[in-house]
C-alpha cells in the first residue's frame, strides 16, 4: 500500500523527547490509533508537539482526542475534546505545540484522516436530523415521559466491546435524556440511545438503519415498572427511525465515497482546529 502522509508526535514541545511515527495509506480513509496502542508505544498522554506532513493526493489530518469530557470524565477512544492539525495537499508540513492549544499531555487516541481527495460537501448531523428527532419522539412518548432538552448527537467511532457494533466501523449515536412522571411518586430520570449505521450500497446510494438500541432508568422502587413501560417504546422507535432514514436519504444522488469527521466541520479545518465530539458529527460526501 502506497503512503499518503506521515505524522510525527513528540514527547516535548518543539520536537523534543521521544518520537513516534504514524502513517496513512493513499487508499485508506482512516488510521485509528487507540489508547491501548499508544500505551504499547509508551506514548499515551505524553504528546506535546506534532508535525503533519503533506500528502500529494489529499488533505492530511491528525485528530488528537482527550477521551474525556471537560478533561475529567472518561468516555473512551476517539471521543471528547479534540485538536485537529491539517495540512493541505502538496504544501509545507504543519507543526503545532499542543501547549499553545490547551492540549499538552492530553492525547489519549489519534485518528489520521485523508480528506478532500476530490470534490466533496459536508452536512451537519445535528442540523439535518435534530428537528425530525424532536418532533417524532414527542409524538411517540405520550404523557408519562418527556424529553429533557435536545439529545446528544455524536458518534461511536471504532467501538470496542460494544454488543452489535463492529470495532471497524463508525456509527452515529443519539442519546436522549428523559423525565418519567409517575402519579403520586417522585419523577425518575431515564435515557434512550440509538446507534445508526450509514453506508453506500452497490449503486453508491446512501442507505442506513438502526444498528443498536438501549435504555437506562435510574435505580429505585419503581425502576423496573418504568423500564417495562419504556422498553416497548424504545423497540418501536427502531422501525420509526428506519423509516425516517429512508425518507431523508432516498432522494440523494450517488456518491464516490462517504465518511465522518468529529464535531462540526462544515468548513474544512485549516492549521489547527478545536472541537468536541459532543457538539455534532460532520457527514462528508465525496463526489
Amino acid at each position: 500500500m502506497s503512503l499518503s502522509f506521515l505524522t510525527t508526535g513528540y514527547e516535548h514541545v518543539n520536537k523534543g523527547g521521544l518520537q513516534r511515527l504514524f502513517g496513512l495509506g493513499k487508499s485508506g480513509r482512516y488510521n485509528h490509533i487507540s489508547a491501548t496502542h499508544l500505551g504499547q508505544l509508551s506514548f499515551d498522554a505524553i504528546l506535546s508537539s506534532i508535525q503533519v506532513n503533506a500528502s500529494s493526493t489529499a488533505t492530511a489530518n491528525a485528530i488528537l482526542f482527550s477521551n474525556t469530557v471537560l478533561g475529567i470524565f472518561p468516555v473512551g477512544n476517539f471521543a471528547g475534546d479534540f485538536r485537529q492539525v491539517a495540512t493541505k495537499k502538496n504544501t509545507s508540513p504543519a507543526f503545532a505545540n499542543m501547549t499553545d492549544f490547551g492540549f499538552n499531555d492530553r492525547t489519549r487516541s489519534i485518528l489520521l484522516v485523508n480528506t478532500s481527495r476530490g470534490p466533496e460537501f459536508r452536512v451537519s448531523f445535528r442540523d439535518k436530523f435534530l428537528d425530525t428527532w424532536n418532533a417524532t419522539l414527542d409524538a411517540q412518548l405520550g404523557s408519562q415521559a418527556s424529553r429533557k432538552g435536545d439529545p446528544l448527537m455524536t458518534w461511536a467511532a471504532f467501538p470496542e466491546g460494544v454488543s452489535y457494533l463492529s470495532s471497524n466501523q463508525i456509527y452515529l449515536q443519539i442519546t436522549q435524556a428523559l423525565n418519567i412522571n409517575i402519579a403520586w411518586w417522585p419523577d425518575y430520570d431515564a435515557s434512550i440511545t440509538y446507534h445508526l449505521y450509514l453506508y453506500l450500497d452497490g449503486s453508491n446510494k446512501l442507505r442506513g438503519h438502526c444498528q443498536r438500541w438501549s435504555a437506562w432508568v435510574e435505580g429505585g422502587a419503581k425502576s423496573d415498572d418504568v423500564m417495562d413501560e419504556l422498553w416497548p417504546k424504545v423497540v418501536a422507535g427502531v422501525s420509526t427511525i428506519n423509516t425516517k432514514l429512508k425518507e431523508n436519504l432516498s432522494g440523494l444522488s450517488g456518491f464516490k465515497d462517504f465518511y465522518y469527521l468529529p464535531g462540526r466541520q462544515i468548513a474544512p479545518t485549516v492549521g489547527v482546529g478545536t472541537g468536541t465530539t459532543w457538539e455534532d458529527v460532520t457527514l462528508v460526501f465525496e463526489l
Side-chain angles (χ1 to χ4, degrees):
M1 179 176 64
S2 57
L3 197 64
S4 176
F5 70 93
L6 289 170
T7 292
T8 307
Y10 301 90
E11 179 185 11
H12 302 314
V13 298
N14 298 322
K15 304 183 181 180
L18 293 175
Q19 302 178 21
R20 296 294 182 264
L21 190 64
F22 308 99
L24 176 60
K26 287 183 179 179
S27 62
R29 179 64 68 185
Y30 304 108
N31 180 10
H32 54 285
I33 302 137
S34 68
T36 298
H37 190 186
L38 288 179
Q40 293 168 346
L41 296 173
S42 300
F43 213 64
D44 185 18
I46 68 168
L47 187 150
S48 295
S49 58
I50 187 170
Q51 178 169 298
V52 181
N53 294 322
S55 167
S56 63
T57 57
T59 294
N61 298 263
I63 310 177
L64 316 177
F65 296 88
S66 69
N67 292 9
T68 63
V69 177
L70 302 175
I72 301 172
F73 306 104
V75 290
N77 291 310
F78 318 111
D81 303 326
F82 66 84
R83 301 294 183 267
Q84 181 167 337
V85 184
T87 304
K88 286 188 175 182
K89 185 190 309 181
N90 294 321
T91 61
S92 299
F95 174 78
N97 285 319
M98 289 297 101
T99 51
D100 297 335
F101 300 95
F103 220 69
N104 189 53
D105 294 342
R106 293 186 60 198
T107 299
R108 301 295 317 281
S109 58
I110 301 173
L111 190 63
L112 304 185
V113 192
N114 281 320
T115 66
S116 302
R117 293 193 294 204
E120 55 184 35
F121 70 92
R122 302 181 176 200
V123 176
S124 158
F125 177 37
R126 195 170 189 83
D127 289 353
K128 182 67 175 176
F129 291 102
L130 178 61
D131 289 344
T132 298
W133 170 268
N134 285 346
T136 302
L137 187 63
D138 288 345
Q140 290 197 325
L141 284 176
S143 59
Q144 187 179 16
S146 58
R147 286 187 298 111
K148 295 177 68 174
D150 289 335
L152 168 67
M153 305 183 79
T154 183
W155 72 2
F158 311 106
E160 297 178 354
V162 181
S163 59
Y164 304 106
L165 301 185
S166 168
S167 59
N168 295 316
Q169 300 291 345
I170 296 177
Y171 303 88
L172 296 173
Q173 177 183 324
I174 304 176
T175 297
Q176 177 69 62
L178 302 173
N179 182 78
I180 308 297
N181 180 267
I182 304 175
W184 308 104
W185 200 270
D187 290 358
Y188 270 65
D189 286 330
S191 67
I192 57 176
T193 297
Y194 294 94
H195 289 91
L196 314 182
Y197 177 57
L198 304 187
Y199 61 96
L200 294 180
D201 67 10
S203 300
N204 290 329
K205 297 281 190 177
L206 190 63
R207 299 288 183 257
H209 61 260
C210 185
Q211 181 70 25
R212 186 178 188 271
W213 49 98
S214 60
W216 168 86
V217 175
E218 72 168 303
K222 298 287 187 179
S223 59
D224 288 344
D225 294 334
V226 172
M227 183 61 83
D228 288 343
E229 289 288 329
L230 180 61
W231 186 248
K233 295 179 181 180
V234 174
V235 175
V238 174
S239 61
T240 302
I241 288 173
N242 288 340
T243 298
K244 292 296 181 180
L245 282 174
K246 186 175 181 180
E247 292 174 357
N248 278 271
L249 302 179
S250 60
L252 297 178
S253 303
F255 303 102
K256 185 176 181 180
D257 199 6
F258 162 74
Y259 66 99
Y260 302 106
L261 289 170
R264 185 179 181 86
Q265 300 194 47
I266 302 304
T269 295
V270 177
V272 181
T274 298
T276 171
T277 58
W278 305 131
E279 64 185 343
D280 205 349
V281 185
T282 304
L283 285 62
V284 189
F285 301 86
E286 185 176 319
L287 304 176

